[in-house]
Amino acid sequence: MRAKPVLLVIAHGSRDPRHAATVHALVRRVRSLRPGLRVETGFLDFNVPSVHGVLESLAAEGVRDVVALPLLLTRAFHAKADIPAVLRDAPPRLRIRQAEVLGPSPLLLSALERRLYEAGLTPADKSSTGVVLASAGSSDPEAIAVIADLARRWRRTGWRAVRPAFASAALPRTEDAVRELRELGCARVAVAPYVLAPGFLPDRIARGAAAADVLAEVLGPAPEVARVLLERYDAACLPALAAVGA
C-alpha cells in the first residue's frame, strides 16, 4: 500500500519570533487531529528549516509523495509565483502537488468569531457591533476581491456591519474602517485580524485598532484553521487516490 503523502506546510517566515512559534503551534494542532499523518514545516524566508531544505531531506529519506500547502489566506503573489518557483527546484524524485490556499472557507469565519468571543464579545452583541475585517493587504486584485466578498458574507451572519481593511498595499486602513463604523452608529466596534500569525503587519493592524472597543487575536492555531489545513490536504490527495483506484 502506498504511503500517504507527507504534508509540507509552507509559511512565509518573519524576523518576529512570534511568527514561527505560532506556525509551529498550528502544525502541532494539525498533527493532533490526524496522528497518522506526517506533517513538516518549511519557511520561504527568515526562518529555518527552509522549504528547499525540507524537500532535500525528504528526498534523501526516500519519500516520494508530498503535498505542499501554502499557509496563506488568499491566492496572491506568494501562492502564484514564489511557492511554485521553490517547488520547481525540488529534487526530481519527489512527486509534489501544491494544495490550495486556506481561504476562503466557512471554517475561517468560525475561527474569526471564536477570536472575537474570546476577546469579550458574545453572540448577543452581533446585531449592534460593527466589525473591521483587517487583513495584511495585497497588490493582487483577486486577493482584495476575496477579502471584500468575505466581509459581505460575514455581514449576512448577523453583525451590524462588516468592513474590510488592509495593513498594506490597499485601502482603507484599519483606523479608517473603525472611524467609518463609528459614524455609521455602531454601538461598539471590533477589529478581527484576518491573519495567521503575529508580525509587522498584524502589529500595524493593532495600532490601527486603538480607537476600537475590541481587538481580537490573530487566527493562529485555532482548531478551525487546523481543520482547513486538513481539508486542503485531502483535496490535493484526491487525484492521486483516484489514479490508484483506476
Side-chain angles (χ1 to χ4, degrees):
M1 182 177 178
R2 179 182 293 180
K4 295 178 182 178
V6 172
L7 171 55
L8 172 58
V9 177
I10 300 179
H12 183 273
S14 171
R15 293 186 178 89
D16 189 323
R18 297 173 298 167
H19 174 90
T22 302
V23 170
H24 290 310
L26 175 58
V27 169
R28 285 194 297 272
R29 187 177 286 275
V30 172
R31 290 182 181 128
S32 72
L33 291 177
R34 193 166 298 181
L37 176 62
R38 180 174 178 181
V39 187
E40 301 291 342
T41 308
F43 296 90
L44 291 173
D45 205 355
F46 302 116
N47 302 105
V48 293
S50 68
V51 176
H52 182 74
V54 174
L55 292 172
E56 290 278 359
S57 295
L58 291 173
E61 289 179 31
V63 170
R64 295 297 302 276
D65 293 297
V66 176
V67 169
L69 196 157
L71 198 60
L72 301 168
L73 294 171
T74 58
R75 191 172 176 272
F77 181 79
H78 294 303
K80 295 177 179 178
D82 284 354
I83 292 175
V86 172
L87 298 180
R88 282 194 295 270
D89 288 336
R93 68 171 287 126
L94 293 175
R95 291 187 290 257
I96 302 176
R97 291 183 293 281
Q98 182 175 330
E100 290 296 325
V101 298
L102 303 185
S105 167
L107 284 170
L108 294 178
L109 284 180
S110 297
L112 286 165
E113 295 211 354
R114 170 190 292 275
R115 293 303 189 224
L116 285 174
Y117 297 152
E118 289 170 350
L121 293 180
T122 70
D125 295 322
K126 293 181 75 169
S127 62
S128 59
T129 301
V131 178
V132 178
L133 178 66
S135 76
S138 173
S139 58
D140 188 315
E142 178 186 348
I144 297 303
V146 166
I147 300 300
D149 182 65
L150 184 65
R152 286 190 291 269
R153 285 191 283 130
W154 202 15
R155 161 67 182 84
R156 291 196 289 269
T157 68
W159 295 100
R160 171 73 173 80
V162 179
R163 295 289 187 271
F166 308 94
S168 68
L171 296 173
R173 296 286 184 256
T174 302
E175 54 268 32
D176 299 324
V178 170
R179 188 180 310 111
E180 179 185 351
L181 290 171
R182 289 279 187 220
E183 293 170 353
L184 188 64
C186 296
R188 67 187 62 78
V189 176
V191 174
Y194 189 57
V195 292
L196 288 166
F200 175 76
L201 292 177
D203 284 350
R204 180 180 289 178
I205 289 171
R207 291 193 297 272
D213 301 293
V214 174
L215 171 62
E217 293 292 328
V218 300
L219 295 174
E224 296 86 353
V225 179
R227 288 168 57 197
V228 176
L229 264 72
L230 290 172
E231 285 187 356
R232 298 295 184 255
Y233 169 82
D234 290 339
C237 287
L238 284 177
L241 293 174
V244 170

